[in-house]
Amino acid sequence: DTGVSQDPRHKITKRGQNVTFRCDPISEHNRLYWYRQTLGQGPEFLTYFQNEAQLEKSRLLSDRFSAERPKGSFSTLEIQRTEQGDSAMYLCASSPLISGGYNEQFFGPGTRLTVL
Amino acid sequence: RKEVEQDPGPFNVPEGATVAFNCTYSNSASQSFFWYRQDCRKEPKLLMSVYSSGNEDGRFTAQLNRASQYISLLIRDSKLSDSATYLCVVTDPQTGANNLFFGTGTRLTVIP
């Protein structure tokens, strides 16, 4: 399968615990994005990387959230001291870096987080 | 104010019907516009881009009105397989395609 993959698909944790999610983009895609989607809402942008550089962060990304893409390939999203409000689907997307026009973002299946 | 506003529906239509979805966006500087489709418990997938001149892809027609900051999607001859949530998407004018603003989505159910 050459699509975007995410792991785990589901995560249940207790409030206050730390969680980490992984995203493997489509190979040769330079750009990687993280979004959060809650029930009944569209995805909300969190952050994006071009290769290993984190170029944009939403104000939604509080200090408890950190994302990395150390080698410009896979990325991790860590949430520290989880809160019930963090319960959501965390979506990863990737796109190629092609000059001019819109580069379609391909989404992974998401990691569904439930904070008890 | 949200960057993209959509009627969440739900829209329940019989097979074969024509259905239209609309959305409005707040930033007149936005450059690119799309409709994404999201099936239940699945990831969003690009359905089609929306161009100023309007564009058609089979049974789907998308239109953009920049003056009114309004985007529409028309589905003709609805099929059962069209049942999904349709997300109106606009790029952030400050970051371009690197940041997508999604509407809440409009849920469509096509009934046999």
Side-chain angles (χ1 to χ4, degrees):
Chain A
D1 187 353
T2 57
V4 178
S5 62
Q6 293 188 244
D7 183 70
R9 295 291 304 277
H10 304 274
K11 178 71 176 178
I12 300 174
T13 191
K14 292 183 179 179
R15 189 176 55 187
Q17 298 295 304
N18 299 343
V19 294
T20 300
F21 309 141
R22 175 177 169 128
C23 170
D24 286 88
I26 294 171
S27 58
E28 82 263 2
H29 278 191
N30 304 87
R31 290 179 171 171
L32 186 148
Y33 313 79
W34 285 98
Y35 291 83
R36 180 176 68 185
Q37 186 174 23
T38 54
L39 195 62
Q41 301 296 316
E44 294 174 295
F45 170 80
L46 293 178
T47 188
Y48 106 93
F49 294 82
Q50 183 164 304
N51 299 314
E52 66 276 9
Q54 188 174 19
L55 299 185
E56 184 77 18
K57 289 198 295 186
S58 163
R59 56 181 168 75
L60 293 175
L61 212 65
S62 76
D63 291 345
R64 297 185 297 106
F65 288 70
S66 61
E68 294 182 345
R69 194 183 183 197
K71 299 182 180 179
S73 56
F74 73 91
S75 175
T76 57
L77 177 68
E78 181 183 15
I79 309 174
Q80 296 182 326
R81 304 181 304 281
T82 53
E83 302 173 356
Q84 288 183 326
D86 296 332
S87 295
M89 175 75 84
Y90 289 85
L91 292 161
C92 176
S94 69
S95 71
L97 177 57
I98 302 171
S99 61
Y102 169 69
N103 299 315
E104 180 182 349
Q105 295 184 22
F106 294 84
F107 283 82
T111 294
R112 183 171 295 281
L113 172 67
T114 301
V115 181
L116 301 176
Chain B
R1 183 181 175 189
K2 287 189 174 182
E3 289 84 3
V4 181
E5 300 269 8
Q6 276 186 266
D7 178 352
F11 284 63
N12 299 316
V13 302
E15 240 180 319
T18 295
V19 62
F21 306 137
N22 307 311
C23 87
T24 57
Y25 60 96
S26 61
N27 195 324
S28 60
S30 296
Q31 293 294 315
S32 301
F33 311 89
F34 312 93
W35 285 100
Y36 271 69
R37 170 188 169 133
Q38 187 171 27
D39 292 297
C40 188
R41 297 187 173 276
K42 298 285 190 180
E43 70 273 22
K45 293 184 179 178
L46 179 65
L47 178 65
M48 59 195 302
S49 301
V50 187
Y51 304 118
S52 297
S53 55
N55 50 300
E56 189 173 307
D57 182 3
R59 298 180 293 106
F60 299 82
T61 301
Q63 292 197 312
L64 167 66
N65 183 323
R66 285 190 183 270
S68 302
Q69 294 176 212
Y70 171 96
I71 305 162
S72 66
L73 177 68
L74 183 77
I75 305 176
R76 292 181 299 278
D77 188 22
S78 300
K79 310 292 185 190
L80 296 177
S81 58
D82 294 334
S83 297
T85 295
Y86 291 83
L87 297 158
C88 178
V89 185
V90 174
T91 54
D92 179 351
Q94 294 193 357
T95 66
N98 303 318
N99 181 358
L100 299 180
F101 290 129
F102 285 79
T104 55
T106 299
R107 184 170 181 82
L108 171 67
T109 301
V110 181
I111 304 164

mmCIF file of all heavy atoms in Angstrom, chain A residues 29-66:
data_model
loop_
_atom_site.group_PDB
_atom_site.id
_atom_site.type_symbol
_atom_site.label_atom_id
_atom_site.label_comp_id
_atom_site.label_asym_id
_atom_site.label_seq_id
_atom_site.Cartn_x
_atom_site.Cartn_y
_atom_site.Cartn_z
ATOM 1 N N HIS A 29 6.896 12.387 -1.052
ATOM 2 C CA HIS A 29 6.134 13.592 -0.733
ATOM 3 C C HIS A 29 6.929 14.428 0.273
ATOM 4 O O HIS A 29 7.244 13.973 1.365
ATOM 5 C CB HIS A 29 4.754 13.241 -0.148
ATOM 6 C CG HIS A 29 3.741 12.931 -1.172
ATOM 7 N ND1 HIS A 29 2.397 12.799 -0.880
ATOM 8 C CD2 HIS A 29 3.843 12.742 -2.507
ATOM 9 C CE1 HIS A 29 1.728 12.549 -1.990
ATOM 10 N NE2 HIS A 29 2.593 12.490 -2.992
ATOM 11 N N ASN A 30 7.227 15.664 -0.118
ATOM 12 C CA ASN A 30 8.033 16.517 0.740
ATOM 13 C C ASN A 30 7.226 17.140 1.874
ATOM 14 O O ASN A 30 7.760 17.460 2.921
ATOM 15 C CB ASN A 30 8.647 17.655 -0.079
ATOM 16 C CG ASN A 30 9.458 17.135 -1.252
ATOM 17 O OD1 ASN A 30 8.928 16.902 -2.331
ATOM 18 N ND2 ASN A 30 10.735 16.942 -1.033
ATOM 19 N N ARG A 31 5.938 17.344 1.638
ATOM 20 C CA ARG A 31 5.140 18.071 2.619
ATOM 21 C C ARG A 31 4.273 17.113 3.430
ATOM 22 O O ARG A 31 3.700 16.166 2.884
ATOM 23 C CB ARG A 31 4.266 19.114 1.923
ATOM 24 C CG ARG A 31 5.083 20.261 1.350
ATOM 25 C CD ARG A 31 4.239 21.265 0.649
ATOM 26 N NE ARG A 31 5.019 22.452 0.301
ATOM 27 C CZ ARG A 31 4.589 23.428 -0.470
ATOM 28 N NH1 ARG A 31 3.366 23.382 -0.970
ATOM 29 N NH2 ARG A 31 5.356 24.465 -0.737
ATOM 30 N N LEU A 32 4.185 17.395 4.716
ATOM 31 C CA LEU A 32 3.399 16.566 5.627
ATOM 32 C C LEU A 32 2.603 17.478 6.538
ATOM 33 O O LEU A 32 3.140 18.471 7.056
ATOM 34 C CB LEU A 32 4.326 15.644 6.432
ATOM 35 C CG LEU A 32 3.666 14.609 7.345
ATOM 36 C CD1 LEU A 32 4.540 13.365 7.432
ATOM 37 C CD2 LEU A 32 3.369 15.156 8.720
ATOM 38 N N TYR A 33 1.343 17.156 6.745
ATOM 39 C CA TYR A 33 0.423 18.000 7.499
ATOM 40 C C TYR A 33 -0.261 17.176 8.592
ATOM 41 O O TYR A 33 -0.526 15.983 8.419
ATOM 42 C CB TYR A 33 -0.681 18.538 6.580
ATOM 43 C CG TYR A 33 -0.206 19.108 5.270
ATOM 44 C CD1 TYR A 33 0.125 18.268 4.208
ATOM 45 C CD2 TYR A 33 -0.101 20.484 5.078
ATOM 46 C CE1 TYR A 33 0.554 18.781 2.995
ATOM 47 C CE2 TYR A 33 0.323 21.000 3.870
ATOM 48 C CZ TYR A 33 0.651 20.142 2.827
ATOM 49 O OH TYR A 33 1.078 20.655 1.635
ATOM 50 N N TRP A 34 -0.563 17.863 9.688
ATOM 51 C CA TRP A 34 -1.391 17.269 10.729
ATOM 52 C C TRP A 34 -2.656 18.107 10.868
ATOM 53 O O TRP A 34 -2.605 19.354 10.895
ATOM 54 C CB TRP A 34 -0.672 17.233 12.080
ATOM 55 C CG TRP A 34 0.397 16.182 12.187
ATOM 56 C CD1 TRP A 34 1.744 16.335 12.028
ATOM 57 C CD2 TRP A 34 0.192 14.801 12.522
ATOM 58 N NE1 TRP A 34 2.383 15.143 12.230
ATOM 59 C CE2 TRP A 34 1.461 14.182 12.542
ATOM 60 C CE3 TRP A 34 -0.933 14.022 12.817
ATOM 61 C CZ2 TRP A 34 1.641 12.829 12.828
ATOM 62 C CZ3 TRP A 34 -0.750 12.686 13.105
ATOM 63 C CH2 TRP A 34 0.510 12.100 13.109
ATOM 64 N N TYR A 35 -3.803 17.395 10.997
ATOM 65 C CA TYR A 35 -5.094 18.017 11.213
ATOM 66 C C TYR A 35 -5.773 17.310 12.383
ATOM 67 O O TYR A 35 -5.475 16.153 12.695
ATOM 68 C CB TYR A 35 -6.002 17.861 9.980
ATOM 69 C CG TYR A 35 -5.583 18.644 8.762
ATOM 70 C CD1 TYR A 35 -4.617 18.146 7.895
ATOM 71 C CD2 TYR A 35 -6.156 19.874 8.471
ATOM 72 C CE1 TYR A 35 -4.240 18.856 6.759
ATOM 73 C CE2 TYR A 35 -5.786 20.593 7.342
ATOM 74 C CZ TYR A 35 -4.821 20.075 6.499
ATOM 75 O OH TYR A 35 -4.447 20.784 5.379
ATOM 76 N N ARG A 36 -6.724 17.999 12.973
ATOM 77 C CA ARG A 36 -7.554 17.400 14.017
ATOM 78 C C ARG A 36 -9.006 17.551 13.591
ATOM 79 O O ARG A 36 -9.405 18.622 13.105
ATOM 80 C CB ARG A 36 -7.324 18.111 15.351
ATOM 81 C CG ARG A 36 -8.144 17.547 16.493
ATOM 82 C CD ARG A 36 -7.793 18.227 17.798
ATOM 83 N NE ARG A 36 -8.224 19.618 17.823
ATOM 84 C CZ ARG A 36 -7.950 20.453 18.807
ATOM 85 N NH1 ARG A 36 -7.202 20.057 19.819
ATOM 86 N NH2 ARG A 36 -8.387 21.684 18.779
ATOM 87 N N GLN A 37 -9.785 16.484 13.780
ATOM 88 C CA GLN A 37 -11.195 16.525 13.412
ATOM 89 C C GLN A 37 -12.033 16.000 14.575
ATOM 90 O O GLN A 37 -11.835 14.876 15.026
ATOM 91 C CB GLN A 37 -11.471 15.700 12.152
ATOM 92 C CG GLN A 37 -12.901 15.827 11.653
ATOM 93 C CD GLN A 37 -13.133 15.129 10.323
ATOM 94 O OE1 GLN A 37 -12.409 14.213 9.944
ATOM 95 N NE2 GLN A 37 -14.153 15.576 9.579
ATOM 96 N N THR A 38 -12.967 16.824 15.035
ATOM 97 C CA THR A 38 -13.902 16.400 16.068
ATOM 98 C C THR A 38 -15.246 16.107 15.408
ATOM 99 O O THR A 38 -15.512 16.508 14.267
ATOM 100 C CB THR A 38 -14.054 17.471 17.155
ATOM 101 O OG1 THR A 38 -14.400 18.720 16.529
ATOM 102 C CG2 THR A 38 -12.756 17.657 17.924
ATOM 103 N N LEU A 39 -16.091 15.425 16.147
ATOM 104 C CA LEU A 39 -17.361 14.947 15.606
ATOM 105 C C LEU A 39 -18.213 16.107 15.093
ATOM 106 O O LEU A 39 -18.403 17.104 15.788
ATOM 107 C CB LEU A 39 -18.112 14.191 16.706
ATOM 108 C CG LEU A 39 -19.282 13.327 16.243
ATOM 109 C CD1 LEU A 39 -18.785 12.231 15.314
ATOM 110 C CD2 LEU A 39 -20.014 12.720 17.440
ATOM 111 N N GLY A 40 -18.659 15.972 13.871
ATOM 112 C CA GLY A 40 -19.534 16.985 13.301
ATOM 113 C C GLY A 40 -18.822 18.204 12.754
ATOM 114 O O GLY A 40 -19.472 19.167 12.333
ATOM 115 N N GLN A 41 -17.490 18.169 12.778
ATOM 116 C CA GLN A 41 -16.712 19.294 12.269
ATOM 117 C C GLN A 41 -15.796 18.832 11.139
ATOM 118 O O GLN A 41 -15.504 17.642 11.010
ATOM 119 C CB GLN A 41 -15.856 19.897 13.392
ATOM 120 C CG GLN A 41 -16.648 20.401 14.585
ATOM 121 C CD GLN A 41 -17.564 21.545 14.236
ATOM 122 O OE1 GLN A 41 -17.186 22.474 13.517
ATOM 123 N NE2 GLN A 41 -18.803 21.480 14.721
ATOM 124 N N GLY A 42 -15.350 19.798 10.355
ATOM 125 C CA GLY A 42 -14.341 19.470 9.364
ATOM 126 C C GLY A 42 -12.965 19.439 10.004
ATOM 127 O O GLY A 42 -12.782 19.908 11.133
ATOM 128 N N PRO A 43 -11.993 18.883 9.314
ATOM 129 C CA PRO A 43 -10.627 18.870 9.858
ATOM 130 C C PRO A 43 -10.110 20.288 10.091
ATOM 131 O O PRO A 43 -10.419 21.204 9.329
ATOM 132 C CB PRO A 43 -9.824 18.176 8.743
ATOM 133 C CG PRO A 43 -10.829 17.379 7.982
ATOM 134 C CD PRO A 43 -12.089 18.168 8.038
ATOM 135 N N GLU A 44 -9.320 20.448 11.142
ATOM 136 C CA GLU A 44 -8.702 21.738 11.459
ATOM 137 C C GLU A 44 -7.187 21.577 11.379
ATOM 138 O O GLU A 44 -6.616 20.666 11.968
ATOM 139 C CB GLU A 44 -9.079 22.178 12.874
ATOM 140 C CG GLU A 44 -10.552 22.479 13.066
ATOM 141 C CD GLU A 44 -10.865 22.774 14.526
ATOM 142 O OE1 GLU A 44 -10.726 21.859 15.362
ATOM 143 O OE2 GLU A 44 -11.240 23.921 14.826
ATOM 144 N N PHE A 45 -6.561 22.491 10.677
ATOM 145 C CA PHE A 45 -5.122 22.450 10.469
ATOM 146 C C PHE A 45 -4.391 22.630 11.795
ATOM 147 O O PHE A 45 -4.719 23.495 12.601
ATOM 148 C CB PHE A 45 -4.734 23.568 9.505
ATOM 149 C CG PHE A 45 -3.262 23.800 9.364
ATOM 150 C CD1 PHE A 45 -2.498 22.985 8.554
ATOM 151 C CD2 PHE A 45 -2.639 24.838 10.041
ATOM 152 C CE1 PHE A 45 -1.136 23.206 8.413
ATOM 153 C CE2 PHE A 45 -1.290 25.067 9.901
ATOM 154 C CZ PHE A 45 -0.530 24.243 9.093
ATOM 155 N N LEU A 46 -3.368 21.798 12.006
ATOM 156 C CA LEU A 46 -2.520 21.929 13.196
ATOM 157 C C LEU A 46 -1.125 22.428 12.841
ATOM 158 O O LEU A 46 -0.630 23.401 13.406
ATOM 159 C CB LEU A 46 -2.409 20.583 13.920
ATOM 160 C CG LEU A 46 -3.682 20.048 14.569
ATOM 161 C CD1 LEU A 46 -3.415 18.679 15.201
ATOM 162 C CD2 LEU A 46 -4.227 21.022 15.607
ATOM 163 N N THR A 47 -0.473 21.715 11.897
ATOM 164 C CA THR A 47 0.901 22.075 11.571
ATOM 165 C C THR A 47 1.310 21.427 10.265
ATOM 166 O O THR A 47 0.643 20.502 9.797
ATOM 167 C CB THR A 47 1.860 21.646 12.697
ATOM 168 O OG1 THR A 47 3.176 22.170 12.447
ATOM 169 C CG2 THR A 47 1.938 20.132 12.809
ATOM 170 N N TYR A 48 2.392 21.946 9.656
ATOM 171 C CA TYR A 48 2.891 21.282 8.464
ATOM 172 C C TYR A 48 4.409 21.371 8.376
ATOM 173 O O TYR A 48 5.029 22.296 8.915
ATOM 174 C CB TYR A 48 2.194 21.799 7.207
ATOM 175 C CG TYR A 48 3.002 22.722 6.316
ATOM 176 C CD1 TYR A 48 3.731 22.223 5.252
ATOM 177 C CD2 TYR A 48 2.990 24.091 6.530
ATOM 178 C CE1 TYR A 48 4.444 23.071 4.418
ATOM 179 C CE2 TYR A 48 3.692 24.944 5.707
ATOM 180 C CZ TYR A 48 4.420 24.425 4.651
ATOM 181 O OH TYR A 48 5.123 25.272 3.826
ATOM 182 N N PHE A 49 4.972 20.382 7.713
ATOM 183 C CA PHE A 49 6.406 20.271 7.500
ATOM 184 C C PHE A 49 6.715 20.261 6.021
ATOM 185 O O PHE A 49 5.984 19.685 5.222
ATOM 186 C CB PHE A 49 6.944 18.946 8.083
ATOM 187 C CG PHE A 49 6.861 18.836 9.569
ATOM 188 C CD1 PHE A 49 5.691 18.454 10.194
ATOM 189 C CD2 PHE A 49 7.972 19.115 10.360
ATOM 190 C CE1 PHE A 49 5.622 18.354 11.569
ATOM 191 C CE2 PHE A 49 7.922 19.005 11.735
ATOM 192 C CZ PHE A 49 6.735 18.625 12.338
ATOM 193 N N GLN A 50 7.807 20.901 5.694
ATOM 194 C CA GLN A 50 8.381 20.710 4.375
ATOM 195 C C GLN A 50 9.732 20.052 4.623
ATOM 196 O O GLN A 50 10.624 20.671 5.212
ATOM 197 C CB GLN A 50 8.543 22.026 3.634
ATOM 198 C CG GLN A 50 9.083 21.840 2.219
ATOM 199 C CD GLN A 50 8.869 23.072 1.371
ATOM 200 O OE1 GLN A 50 7.751 23.548 1.224
ATOM 201 N NE2 GLN A 50 9.962 23.622 0.841
ATOM 202 N N ASN A 51 9.838 18.819 4.194
ATOM 203 C CA ASN A 51 10.975 17.967 4.570
ATOM 204 C C ASN A 51 11.028 17.910 6.099
ATOM 205 O O ASN A 51 10.019 17.609 6.719
ATOM 206 C CB ASN A 51 12.254 18.474 3.932
ATOM 207 C CG ASN A 51 12.147 18.454 2.411
ATOM 208 O OD1 ASN A 51 11.701 17.467 1.823
ATOM 209 N ND2 ASN A 51 12.529 19.541 1.764
ATOM 210 N N GLU A 52 12.163 18.240 6.713
ATOM 211 C CA GLU A 52 12.215 18.128 8.171
ATOM 212 C C GLU A 52 11.866 19.428 8.882
ATOM 213 O O GLU A 52 11.777 19.477 10.104
ATOM 214 C CB GLU A 52 13.610 17.656 8.610
ATOM 215 C CG GLU A 52 14.737 18.644 8.332
ATOM 216 C CD GLU A 52 15.268 18.521 6.911
ATOM 217 O OE1 GLU A 52 14.659 17.794 6.098
ATOM 218 O OE2 GLU A 52 16.286 19.177 6.618
ATOM 219 N N ALA A 53 11.642 20.493 8.127
ATOM 220 C CA ALA A 53 11.382 21.799 8.728
ATOM 221 C C ALA A 53 9.887 21.995 9.005
ATOM 222 O O ALA A 53 9.052 21.834 8.116
ATOM 223 C CB ALA A 53 11.892 22.892 7.799
ATOM 224 N N GLN A 54 9.598 22.371 10.246
ATOM 225 C CA GLN A 54 8.214 22.687 10.614
ATOM 226 C C GLN A 54 7.973 24.147 10.273
ATOM 227 O O GLN A 54 8.495 25.043 10.941
ATOM 228 C CB GLN A 54 7.991 22.425 12.104
ATOM 229 C CG GLN A 54 6.541 22.545 12.535
ATOM 230 C CD GLN A 54 6.326 22.132 13.989
ATOM 231 O OE1 GLN A 54 7.264 22.079 14.777
ATOM 232 N NE2 GLN A 54 5.097 21.823 14.350
ATOM 233 N N LEU A 55 7.181 24.403 9.246
ATOM 234 C CA LEU A 55 7.055 25.745 8.703
ATOM 235 C C LEU A 55 5.833 26.509 9.165
ATOM 236 O O LEU A 55 5.768 27.729 9.012
ATOM 237 C CB LEU A 55 7.083 25.698 7.169
ATOM 238 C CG LEU A 55 8.366 25.140 6.549
ATOM 239 C CD1 LEU A 55 8.315 25.268 5.028
ATOM 240 C CD2 LEU A 55 9.593 25.882 7.095
ATOM 241 N N GLU A 56 4.871 25.814 9.685
ATOM 242 C CA GLU A 56 3.637 26.512 10.075
ATOM 243 C C GLU A 56 3.005 25.758 11.236
ATOM 244 O O GLU A 56 2.961 24.531 11.229
ATOM 245 C CB GLU A 56 2.667 26.550 8.891
ATOM 246 C CG GLU A 56 1.389 27.329 9.122
ATOM 247 C CD GLU A 56 1.574 28.827 9.048
ATOM 248 O OE1 GLU A 56 2.594 29.271 8.498
ATOM 249 O OE2 GLU A 56 0.684 29.549 9.547
ATOM 250 N N LYS A 57 2.538 26.535 12.235
ATOM 251 C CA LYS A 57 1.836 25.944 13.366
ATOM 252 C C LYS A 57 0.588 26.747 13.642
ATOM 253 O O LYS A 57 0.638 27.982 13.721
ATOM 254 C CB LYS A 57 2.713 25.936 14.614
ATOM 255 C CG LYS A 57 3.861 24.953 14.551
ATOM 256 C CD LYS A 57 4.427 24.650 15.938
ATOM 257 C CE LYS A 57 5.052 25.834 16.603
ATOM 258 N NZ LYS A 57 5.705 25.460 17.873
ATOM 259 N N SER A 58 -0.518 26.071 13.822
ATOM 260 C CA SER A 58 -1.769 26.747 14.148
ATOM 261 C C SER A 58 -1.767 27.155 15.618
ATOM 262 O O SER A 58 -1.104 26.536 16.458
ATOM 263 C CB SER A 58 -2.931 25.795 13.870
ATOM 264 O OG SER A 58 -4.099 26.222 14.511
ATOM 265 N N ARG A 59 -2.567 28.163 15.917
ATOM 266 C CA ARG A 59 -2.728 28.543 17.322
ATOM 267 C C ARG A 59 -3.427 27.442 18.106
ATOM 268 O O ARG A 59 -3.428 27.433 19.334
ATOM 269 C CB ARG A 59 -3.522 29.845 17.415
ATOM 270 C CG ARG A 59 -4.852 29.786 16.734
ATOM 271 C CD ARG A 59 -5.609 31.122 16.815
ATOM 272 N NE ARG A 59 -6.749 31.160 15.926
ATOM 273 C CZ ARG A 59 -7.879 30.515 16.157
ATOM 274 N NH1 ARG A 59 -8.029 29.792 17.241
ATOM 275 N NH2 ARG A 59 -8.881 30.587 15.295
ATOM 276 N N LEU A 60 -4.034 26.472 17.382
ATOM 277 C CA LEU A 60 -4.671 25.333 18.053
ATOM 278 C C LEU A 60 -3.623 24.425 18.687
ATOM 279 O O LEU A 60 -3.934 23.645 19.586
ATOM 280 C CB LEU A 60 -5.486 24.523 17.047
ATOM 281 C CG LEU A 60 -6.716 25.174 16.436
ATOM 282 C CD1 LEU A 60 -7.314 24.267 15.383
ATOM 283 C CD2 LEU A 60 -7.739 25.500 17.505
ATOM 284 N N LEU A 61 -2.397 24.520 18.213
ATOM 285 C CA LEU A 61 -1.337 23.649 18.696
ATOM 286 C C LEU A 61 -0.767 24.239 19.978
ATOM 287 O O LEU A 61 0.182 25.032 19.948
ATOM 288 C CB LEU A 61 -0.257 23.525 17.620
ATOM 289 C CG LEU A 61 0.492 22.198 17.542
ATOM 290 C CD1 LEU A 61 -0.431 21.073 17.147
ATOM 291 C CD2 LEU A 61 1.652 22.294 16.578
ATOM 292 N N SER A 62 -1.366 23.842 21.109
ATOM 293 C CA SER A 62 -0.923 24.398 22.390
ATOM 294 C C SER A 62 0.450 23.843 22.750
ATOM 295 O O SER A 62 1.002 22.986 22.069
ATOM 296 C CB SER A 62 -1.939 24.046 23.475
ATOM 297 O OG SER A 62 -1.793 22.676 23.855
ATOM 298 N N ASP A 63 0.969 24.334 23.874
ATOM 299 C CA ASP A 63 2.298 23.911 24.327
ATOM 300 C C ASP A 63 2.349 22.416 24.639
ATOM 301 O O ASP A 63 3.432 21.840 24.714
ATOM 302 C CB ASP A 63 2.700 24.715 25.570
ATOM 303 C CG ASP A 63 2.962 26.170 25.230
ATOM 304 O OD1 ASP A 63 3.107 26.476 24.033
ATOM 305 O OD2 ASP A 63 2.989 26.998 26.158
ATOM 306 N N ARG A 64 1.192 21.818 24.842
ATOM 307 C CA ARG A 64 1.192 20.381 25.162
ATOM 308 C C ARG A 64 1.380 19.518 23.917
ATOM 309 O O ARG A 64 1.604 18.321 24.017
ATOM 310 C CB ARG A 64 -0.132 20.005 25.838
ATOM 311 C CG ARG A 64 -0.369 20.696 27.168
ATOM 312 C CD ARG A 64 -1.640 20.198 27.841
ATOM 313 N NE ARG A 64 -2.834 20.503 27.046
ATOM 314 C CZ ARG A 64 -3.511 19.597 26.348
ATOM 315 N NH1 ARG A 64 -3.123 18.324 26.327
ATOM 316 N NH2 ARG A 64 -4.582 19.960 25.670
ATOM 317 N N PHE A 65 1.286 20.139 22.773
ATOM 318 C CA PHE A 65 1.412 19.420 21.508
ATOM 319 C C PHE A 65 2.792 19.686 20.903
ATOM 320 O O PHE A 65 3.254 20.833 20.871
ATOM 321 C CB PHE A 65 0.359 19.898 20.499
ATOM 322 C CG PHE A 65 -1.044 19.465 20.802
ATOM 323 C CD1 PHE A 65 -1.732 19.992 21.881
ATOM 324 C CD2 PHE A 65 -1.688 18.536 19.987
ATOM 325 C CE1 PHE A 65 -3.036 19.595 22.152
ATOM 326 C CE2 PHE A 65 -2.992 18.146 20.248
ATOM 327 C CZ PHE A 65 -3.662 18.675 21.329
ATOM 328 N N SER A 66 3.403 18.634 20.409
ATOM 329 C CA SER A 66 4.654 18.827 19.676
ATOM 330 C C SER A 66 4.711 17.839 18.520
ATOM 331 O O SER A 66 4.285 16.693 18.639
ATOM 332 C CB SER A 66 5.868 18.652 20.593
ATOM 333 O OG SER A 66 5.899 17.339 21.123
#
